[in-house]
């Protein structure tokens, strides 16, 4: 049953990424630069409001959940900002490797240093194999030549923010799993509020006008939000059943494999031999972690 839930979780997160890509591609507001702001605010409000409804409007977070949720809102804000800024000034492949490595290594190191967690030799080998597969799947276009120190700093921010997002989610699930809804509401609504405040400081008129779009990008935004809402609730539950390093390794690796499948089937992008080898290694890693 746990394996089935993990597989469904990977699928949901891959759908979230796919719908985000489709939203960005079809966002037809005259000021296309507002796409990330509109998505982040809409995404945060939707997930938090949907969670409040699911919880039947019960919201009674403990001080610990409040602190963890507020910190995670900052992690989400940092992650989203770093994704945008890194995408503007450097290698997309290196950017994605920073995201994927951070999502696995930071929780693993934190768990080993502060929570006394350990992995078996087979699990360590599987994690290493997955990291190699990330490099192979992103090898095309992977280069630091010509990239600035500013780009590297944004990639470091991606590495840390994606990693600590997982750490904070796991901490809350461990400390008080009964407040999953409160953690989600604080994290996502907090991120939306922070983004709105930043945009209001830049120009309140742009914030309002940014939400003017046609039905197609709006549909993709809503589909992304639905997938994200179900996925984040499931993730906090699954974290109580499985080691977070194993979960994040499968989640990141499986999501990357599915993104490549979507690229091939929906966007007709071809895989080269190196990418195919990376997919094979990632699948082998997932099998090893499932043993």
């Amino acid at each position: 049953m746990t394996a089935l839930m993990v597989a469904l979780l990977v699928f949901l997160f891959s759908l979230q990424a796919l719908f985000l890509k489709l939203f960005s591609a079809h966002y037809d507001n005259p000021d296309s630069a507002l796409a990330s702001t509109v998505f982040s605010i809409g995404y945060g409000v939707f997930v938090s409001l949907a969670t409040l409804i699911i919880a039947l409007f019960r919201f009674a977070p403990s001080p610990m959940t409040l602190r963890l949720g507020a910190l995670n809102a900052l992690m989400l804000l940092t992650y989203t900002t770093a994704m945008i800024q890194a995408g503007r000034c450097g290698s997309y492949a290196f950017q994605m490797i920073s995201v994927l490595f951070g999502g696995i290594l930071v929780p693993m190191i934190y768990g080993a240093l502060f929570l006394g967690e350990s992995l078996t030799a087979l699990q360590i080998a599987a994690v290493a194999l997955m990291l190699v597969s990330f490099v192979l799947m992103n090898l095309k276009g992977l280069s630091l030549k010509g990239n600035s120190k500013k780009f590297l700093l944004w990639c470091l921010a991606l590495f840390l923010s994606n990693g600590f997002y997982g750490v904070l989610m796991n901490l809350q699930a461990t400390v008080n799993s009964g407040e999953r809804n409160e953690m989600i509401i604080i994290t996502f609504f907090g991120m939306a509020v922070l983004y709105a405040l930043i945009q209001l400081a830049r120009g309140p008129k742009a914030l309002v006008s940014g939400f003017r779009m046609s039905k197609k990008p709006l549909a993709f935004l809503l589909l992304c939000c639905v997938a994200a809402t179900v996925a984040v609730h499931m993730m906090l539950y699954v974290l109580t059943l499985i080691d977070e390093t194993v979960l994040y390794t499968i989640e990141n690796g499986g999501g990357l494999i599915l993104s490549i499948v979507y690229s091939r089937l929906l966007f007709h992008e071809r895989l080269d031999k190196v990418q195919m080898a990376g997919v094979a290694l990632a699948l082998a890693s997932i099998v090893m972690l499932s043993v």
Side-chain angles (χ1 to χ4, degrees), residues 6 8 30 34 36 46 59-60 99 119 124 134 138 170 216 221:
V6 171
L8 181 57
L34 287 170
S36 58
F46 184 99
F59 182 73
V99 171
L119 299 176
I124 292 172
F134 289 163
N138 289 282
N170 181 59
K216 183 174 284 189
L221 175 60

Side-chain angles (χ1 to χ4, degrees), residues 102-112 117 163-164 166-167 244-245 248:
I104 294 174
L105 292 178
V106 173
M108 183 173 71
I109 294 170
Y110 184 90
E117 297 174 349
F164 278 110
V167 167
E244 74 271 19
T245 300
Y248 293 143

Side-chain angles (χ1 to χ4, degrees), residues 21-36 38 209-221:
K21 180 180 177 68
L22 291 170
F23 164 76
S24 300
H26 291 89
Y27 182 70
D28 52 3
N29 188 280
D31 189 353
S32 59
L34 287 170
S36 58
V38 169
S209 64
F211 283 89
R212 294 171 187 161
M213 67 188 89
S214 62
K215 292 181 180 179
K216 183 174 284 189
L218 179 60
F220 287 132
L221 175 60

Side-chain angles (χ1 to χ4, degrees), residues 5 25 58 66 81 84-86 92 116 149 161 179 203 206 212 251:
M5 292 184 70
R58 189 189 76 84
L66 274 171
T81 304
I84 296 166
Q85 296 299 327
Y92 179 73
K149 290 181 180 179
S161 60
E179 294 185 3
R212 294 171 187 161
E251 177 196 318

